[in-house]
């Protein structure tokens, strides 16, 4: 539609959109889409989440979704999702306001949420303790509860990824 409106070829429009998206990811994205970098930022995310929803030690939510695409010429069956259309599988982590903290958009639509998560940078960061930890003692036995993401049933149950 954009190509027709401005009298530009579809391939030129695609190239321009690709360049703009790359510029956004490289220059603008890191200013607005980022995970907590230190304990203070993590504590703020946890406090804000608990204040709004009453869920302790959660700093965000994780979910996968399908973005419809035109049928690719190569490996098209990999992009045909269970919703009966061609898609890219997108995984996002959001904070208490719904602002993005992390986004992964590189998997074909046929791939399950759990596989995307197990191969994602957010899982690696959580599993390897690359994100700042913030612990809270909740019981008389002094058990410390780590920070975690809230997930839906499609994701595995892990110490850092729990169902609400």
């Amino acid at each position: 539609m954009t190509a027709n409106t401005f009298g530009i070829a579809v391939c030129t429009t695609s190239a321009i959109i690709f360049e703009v998206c790359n510029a956004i990811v490289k220059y603008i994205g890191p200013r607005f889409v980022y995970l907590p970098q230190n304990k203070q930022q993590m504590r703020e995310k946890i406090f804000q989440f608990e204040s709004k929803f009453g869920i302790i030690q959660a700093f965000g939510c994780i979910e996968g979704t399908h973005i419809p695409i035109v049928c690719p010429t190569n490996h098209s069956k990999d992009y045909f999702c269970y919703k009966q259309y061609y898609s890219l599988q997108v995984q996002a982590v959001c904070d208490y306001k719904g602002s993005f903290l992390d986004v992964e958009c590189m998997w074909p639509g046929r791939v399950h949420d759990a596989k995307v998560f197990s191969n994602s940078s957010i899982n690696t960061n959580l599993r390897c303790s690359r994100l700042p930890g913030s612990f809270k003692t909740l019981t008389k036995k002094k058990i410390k509860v780590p920070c975690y993401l809230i997930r839906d049933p499609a994701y595995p149950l892990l110490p850092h990824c729990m169902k609400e």
Side-chain angles (χ1 to χ4, degrees):
M1 193 167 125
T2 304
N4 291 337
T5 303
F6 295 103
I8 302 170
V10 173
C11 61
T12 303
T13 304
S14 294
I16 292 168
I17 291 171
F18 185 76
E19 285 182 41
V20 169
C21 289
N22 279 337
I24 290 170
V25 167
K26 187 174 181 181
Y27 300 109
I28 298 172
R31 288 180 38 208
F32 299 102
V33 179
Y34 60 90
L35 292 164
Q37 303 296 310
N38 55 49
K39 285 187 179 185
Q40 181 60 30
Q41 288 178 353
M42 182 63 86
R43 284 188 188 115
E44 285 175 22
K45 294 288 181 199
I46 291 169
F47 174 76
Q48 292 162 338
F49 209 94
E50 185 174 349
S51 296
K52 186 164 185 176
F53 300 109
I55 301 172
I56 58 167
Q57 286 301 94
F59 71 92
C61 296
I62 187 166
E63 178 63 295
T65 191
H66 292 270
I67 304 298
I69 62 171
V70 175
C71 177
T73 54
N74 295 328
H75 308 289
S76 60
K77 67 178 184 292
D78 294 338
Y79 291 87
F80 197 74
C81 71
Y82 72 95
K83 295 183 176 190
Q84 303 301 303
Y85 58 83
Y86 296 96
S87 70
L88 277 176
Q89 171 70 289
V90 177
Q91 174 183 275
V93 176
C94 295
D95 66 6
Y96 75 103
K97 295 185 293 189
S99 298
F100 290 115
L101 300 176
D102 185 65
V103 178
E104 293 242 353
C105 179
M106 61 182 210
W107 293 88
R110 184 160 287 216
V111 177
H112 191 272
D113 288 354
K115 182 170 183 171
V116 174
F117 177 72
S118 66
N119 291 287
S120 69
S121 61
I122 186 73
N123 183 40
T124 303
N125 287 332
L126 285 164
R127 193 177 61 239
C128 299
S129 300
R130 290 188 188 135
L131 286 177
S134 179
F135 296 91
K136 188 171 188 176
T137 304
L138 299 176
T139 65
K140 293 177 184 177
K141 295 182 180 181
K142 307 290 185 207
I143 297 172
K144 292 185 176 185
V145 177
C147 52
Y148 61 92
L149 290 171
I150 296 173
R151 52 93 180 169
D152 70 8
Y155 289 90
L157 180 62
L158 300 166
H160 55 270
C161 191
M162 315 259 307
K163 187 176 175 183
E164 89 287 335

